[in-house]
Amino acid sequence: MKVYLCLAAAVGGWFYLRHRLRTWKAVRDARRAIDAGKAAKSREAARRALTQRLHALLPDTAVSRLFGWTPERRIRPTVRVARRGPFGRYERIDPAQHILVVGFTGSGKSSTLRVLAAWAFASPRWSLEAWDGKWGASVRAYRGKCPVLDTMDAIEARLRDLVTRELPARALMAEPPHLAIVMDESRLLNELSSAALRDLVTVIQTGRELGVHLWFGLQDPKTDSVPSEIRDQFSAKLVHQLQTEEAARVALKELVSAGWSPHRLMRSGQMLIWTPVRAMSAPRVVYGLWLSAGRLAALERKGPYAAPEFARPVVLVKASARPPVRTEGAGQAGARTPGRTADALTGRQREALMALDVADRPLGAADLARELGIERNRAHDVLTQLRRRGLVAQAADGFTIPLDRQAEKD
C-alpha cells in the first residue's frame, strides 16, 4: 500500500512541477515581450528629431508664438503652411491643386485650412468659398470675406451651378481666375444626394485645369467616409496626428509601411506633407503654422472678389454706460449720450472682439491669449478695457459679446 501511495505522490509532484515550469516560461516570455516593446519605443523616440521632442514638451502658448502665422510682405505663387523647426525654413506647397488636410479634432487641421484661406484672401486673382452644412459652425470666421454656404440645399445648388454654368464658362477663358472651395466637414459627403455627389466628382476631376480647387478637411479617414474617386484626386496631403494605423493607411495607403506614420506623431501641430515629389524621399515631420479663427476674421481681404451680400462692413458701436438723459425741451425728446465707435479701438482690441464673435463659448484670458498668441496678462488687460467700454460682458465662465451688441453689429 505504501508503494502505491509513494508512486501516486511522485506522479502528482511531477505534474505539479511541469505546471509550474510552464507558468514560469509563459511569464518569462511575457516579460521579454514587454521589455522588447519598451526598447523599441525608446529606440523610436531616440530616432525622432530633437526639434520634434522639444515641440512635444512646449506649452500651447509657446507653440502658438513660435509657430504662429504672419502675413507675407509680398504674395508668392506658393503658400507656406509649416516650418521645419522654431528657426527652420518654411515648407511651401502649390495652392493651385486639390489639397486634403487630415487630422482628428484638435490636431491643427482647421488652422492649416485657415492658413490657406489667409493666403487666398491676400491674392488678387483668387476667390474663396466656404461650405458647411451644419449651420456654418465650422466656417464662422470666413463670414464677411467670402460666400458661406451653410445648408445642404445651397451646397447642392452651387454644385449644379458649377457643373452646368461656371465650368463651361471657364473653359472659354484663356486664363480663368482661381476659385478655392473650403470644406472642413467630411460628413458633407455622406449627406449629399447621389446627383450632388456626381456633380462633386465632376468638379474635382475637371476643375483643377479650369481654376477650381478643393481644399478638403477630413477628421475621420475611413474607406466609407470619402469615396475613392474623390480621395484619389488629391495631389497634396497634409496629414496631422491620427489615432490609429488604420486611419493612417486610408490617408496614405502603402506609404505607411515606408515610414509615413502620422499615428506616431507626438503632438497636435506636427504633420507630414505628401506630394508626388516628396513621396520618393524619406518622410520629414514639420510643424504647422497656427492661425486662430479670431485672427482670420480680423484680416482684411485684398482680392477683388466679394459678393455684396457677404461684404457688409462690421461696425462695432459702444453706447454710453449711463442711462439715456432726457430733457424737457419743446417737443424734443432727450437723446442717448453718444459713445465710442470701433474706429477708436486698437488692432489688438479688434482681434479680441473678432475672436469672441466667432467663438462658440465664452473665452477667458487664457483662451484669448492662446487664440491671439499673446501673453495672458496682456489678454486680461484687453478684456478689461473692452469690458469698461461696454463692448464685452463678463460671464461666469469667461467673457462674451452681449446680445444687444451683437444685434447692433448685425
Side-chain angles (χ1 to χ4, degrees), residues 228-243:
S228 58
E229 59 267 23
I230 294 179
R231 188 172 60 249
D232 295 339
Q233 296 297 322
F234 293 100
S235 54
K237 297 179 181 180
L238 312 181
V239 187
H240 290 261
Q241 191 177 16
L242 296 176
Q243 294 181 345

Side-chain angles (χ1 to χ4, degrees), residues 2 4 22 26 35-36 164 173 210 295:
K2 292 181 179 181
Y4 290 111
R22 290 179 176 178
D35 294 339
T164 59
M173 300 179 183
L210 299 177
R295 191 173 182 187

Side-chain angles (χ1 to χ4, degrees), residues 138-189:
S138 65
V139 292
R140 193 176 303 168
Y142 299 86
R143 293 190 181 276
K145 303 181 185 305
C146 67
V148 175
L149 307 183
D150 53 6
T151 63
M152 297 305 300
D153 293 338
I155 292 174
E156 294 185 0
R158 178 57 176 148
L159 284 171
R160 176 94 311 240
D161 178 71
L162 280 171
V163 173
T164 59
R165 182 190 63 84
E166 185 162 340
L167 291 182
R170 286 173 172 270
L172 301 177
M173 300 179 183
E175 294 184 3
H178 294 279
L179 169 63
I181 301 174
V182 176
M183 298 176 63
D184 197 10
E185 287 289 341
S186 59
R187 59 173 187 80
L188 286 177
L189 300 180

Side-chain angles (χ1 to χ4, degrees), residues 15 18 36 88 161 196 217 234 252 275 301 309 367 375 381-382:
F15 278 109
R18 189 181 67 170
D161 178 71
F234 293 100
L252 296 174
T275 59
R301 180 178 177 83
E309 61 270 14
D367 300 327
E375 293 83 0
D381 292 341
V382 171

